[in-house]
Amino acid sequence: MKSVSVVIIGAGPAGLLLGQLLQTSGIETLILEQRSPDYVLGRIRAGVLEQGTVSLMRQAGCAERMDKEGLVHHGTALMVKGQMHRIDFQDLTGSSVLVYGQTEVTRDLMAARAACGAPTIYEAEDVSFSGLDTENPIVRYRKDRMEHQIRCDFIAGCDGFHGVSRRSIPANVLKTYERVYPFGWLGLLSDTPPVDDELIYINDRRGFALCSMRSHSRSRYYLQCGLDEKIEDWSDERFWDALQERLPATHQARLVRGPSIEKSIAPLRSFVAEPMRYGQLFLAGDAAHIVPPTGAKGLNLAASDVYYLWQGLKEFYHHRQTEGLDGYAVKALARVWKAERFSWWMTTMLHQFPDQPVFETKIQQAELAYLFSSRAAMTALAENYVGLPY
Ligand code: FAS
Ligand code: PHB
């Protein structure tokens, strides 16, 4: 039976980044991905990278295009009751974020893996595991109607929220924690210039909106929408009109409309699965946790999980020590829960909750008023947004 040191399930950013970092440490991997490369690249998701994620891309040797094309942002704006409030990351934390789309991160990682010849099996079907609680678990999958099995030392479950890895942890071991929000995000991507040099998070009485970007000529916009909304009911024109209404007066004339390249609705949830390890299976990224995108943490949490797992595997293969792997779940979850808190806080502060008690609305208004009146409060927002230390 074929064997490999680490089998990675999922060729999203978590799986690919882990694969590249292990590659730089001389640790052999095989990635199994259920979809095609084009399908993976077609999903439009995150847009903001923390410095930790940027640093890992550089350590993985995949940062050339990111460093050339990424946009350094030293702050962001929150618009409340028509008033713009800038959160100055540089002044408050001395740090910044990089605007560079997840699609491009994934493309760079895919290209690097192909260039080094490390194997990725795309369109691998029915992945399953056995012997997770033994020294050498077995991974099974089907490819082109042929059944395959691989013996390995470790399995990295980087297969996202709907993957097989979390489901492979016994129900009497796995605990999950969840909050589902009463709205979703309707996103649109267009080859039009952004309305501002930085992102704008908008708390408007008609609903939340976010003005983001991928470059100086490609914009990414989001509108809070009902869970019953259907994408086919949202023409481009209806989207642009709704966005225009929620923009501050200073920016309405700047809005450049154009045909949507992509348009989708995503539900918002906070979700954490514990433990992030079972036997030789380690969960990383969306396989273990989901955050509402309001805090721009999803992709960046996947990166910090990958960092901890990379360090633990490096220690094992280079020094036969297991301290890093044994401490992985506790260390990763400590950072996960802080990001869950921040993402929940940003979401409850900036969205409309029409059915909530008036008291909650009053608290939301007080939260915002305090935030903009206190350097300490704005510093707390900024240090979470640019990324807490690993
Ligand atoms: P991913 O889901 O990206 O990748 C998992 C991979 O595993 C996929 O390619 C999948 O095909 C594969 N897979 C699944 N099951 C498998 C199986 N059984 N066998 C083999 N392969 C399998 N984050 C932000 O920071 N900002 C955002 O604006 C933002 N917007 C988002 C919008 C949407 C609609 C979604 C769903 C997420 C969004 N996120 C956002 C979060 C997102 O960026 C994730 O955090 C990020 O994709 C996490 O990467 P992975 O953990 O690699 O999971
Ligand atoms: C994005 O550009 O897709 C993006 C940016 C910031 C967020 C969420 C999404 O908080």
Side-chain angles (χ1 to χ4, degrees), residues 9-15 32-35 40 43-47 102 124 127 158-164 185 222 266 284-287 293 296-300 302:
I9 315 298
L32 299 177
E33 165 56 52
Q34 70 177 359
R35 301 288 187 172
V40 175
R43 293 186 303 229
I44 306 299
R45 290 187 174 167
Q102 174 172 325
V127 169
C158 301
D159 46 352
F161 185 66
H162 302 290
V164 64
W185 277 19
Y222 295 96
D286 277 17
K297 291 296 143 212
L299 173 57
N300 295 296

Side-chain angles (χ1 to χ4, degrees), residues 28-330:
E28 61 157 349
T29 61
L30 169 68
I31 296 183
L32 299 177
E33 165 56 52
Q34 70 177 359
R35 301 288 187 172
S36 69
D38 287 349
Y39 185 96
V40 175
L41 287 170
R43 293 186 303 229
I44 306 299
R45 290 187 174 167
V48 173
L49 306 186
E50 297 172 356
Q51 286 309 324
T53 307
V54 169
S55 167
L56 284 175
M57 285 291 284
R58 289 175 181 150
Q59 293 178 68
C62 305
E64 191 185 338
R65 195 162 68 100
M66 179 192 74
D67 284 332
K68 205 160 61 186
E69 297 177 12
L71 304 175
V72 178
H73 280 207
H74 295 295
T76 190
L78 274 61
M79 206 255 325
V80 178
K81 293 198 179 105
Q83 289 298 311
M84 292 278 277
H85 304 267
R86 185 163 185 268
I87 306 293
D88 188 334
F89 303 146
Q90 201 57 43
D91 172 43
L92 296 165
T93 69
S95 189
S96 59
V97 294
L98 192 77
V99 170
Y100 189 68
Q102 174 172 325
T103 303
E104 305 321 314
V105 169
T106 307
R107 199 191 309 279
D108 295 341
L109 289 166
M110 275 181 180
R113 188 163 179 89
C116 71
T120 305
I121 309 285
Y122 284 96
E123 295 172 303
E125 298 171 304
D126 290 338
V127 169
S128 66
F129 313 129
S130 60
L132 287 177
D133 51 358
T134 68
E135 285 232 318
N136 294 113
I138 292 174
V139 180
R140 291 180 177 81
Y141 69 94
R142 190 174 58 254
K143 170 72 179 170
D144 300 337
R145 290 188 296 284
M146 287 275 289
E147 301 295 332
H148 298 265
Q149 48 185 13
I150 309 155
R151 192 182 299 285
C152 59
D153 298 328
F154 302 103
I155 300 167
C158 301
D159 46 352
F161 185 66
H162 302 290
V164 64
S165 297
R166 188 178 68 250
R167 284 188 276 120
S168 302
I169 296 179
N172 65 335
V173 172
L174 188 72
K175 287 188 177 50
T176 61
Y177 308 88
E178 184 169 42
R179 167 161 299 187
V180 177
Y181 297 90
F183 40 74
W185 277 19
L186 165 59
L188 180 142
L189 188 70
S190 59
D191 277 333
T192 56
V195 289
D196 200 305
D197 295 338
E198 294 180 334
L199 274 58
I200 308 175
Y201 289 80
I202 298 169
N203 174 322
D204 180 84
R205 62 182 174 77
R206 286 161 285 235
F208 169 85
L210 171 59
C211 302
S212 184
M213 64 193 79
R214 292 293 178 268
S215 68
H216 294 308
S217 60
R218 177 165 284 194
S219 296
R220 179 67 170 166
Y221 294 109
Y222 295 96
L223 294 175
Q224 174 182 347
C225 66
L227 287 174
D228 54 352
E229 290 285 356
K230 298 204 176 3
I231 197 68
E232 51 269 22
D233 296 337
W234 281 86
S235 67
D236 288 4
E237 188 185 7
R238 184 183 175 198
F239 183 96
W240 291 120
D241 288 346
L243 174 65
Q244 180 104 28
E245 283 181 332
R246 299 183 198 184
L247 284 177
T250 50
H251 288 67
Q252 290 186 358
R254 292 190 208 170
L255 181 62
V256 176
R257 300 179 178 217
S260 57
I261 304 172
E262 188 268 358
K263 210 164 33 181
S264 54
I265 293 178
L268 268 62
R269 77 174 79 234
S270 299
F271 174 87
V272 179
E274 295 183 4
M276 286 177 61
R277 174 187 187 177
Y278 177 74
Q280 304 302 82
L281 171 65
F282 292 81
L283 302 183
D286 277 17
H289 42 72
I290 296 287
V291 285
T294 328
K297 291 296 143 212
L299 173 57
N300 295 296
L301 265 187
S304 51
D305 291 348
V306 162
Y307 171 76
Y308 298 134
L309 190 48
W310 171 42
Q311 294 302 307
L313 289 168
K314 213 171 33 167
E315 185 188 75
F316 176 81
Y317 282 104
H318 294 179
H319 309 295
R320 287 290 157 192
Q321 285 168 3
T322 63
E323 195 184 332
L325 290 175
D326 294 343
Y328 167 75
V330 168

Side-chain angles (χ1 to χ4, degrees), residues 376-387:
M378 286 189 279
T379 303
L381 188 159
E383 70 177 10
N384 279 276
Y385 195 95
V386 299

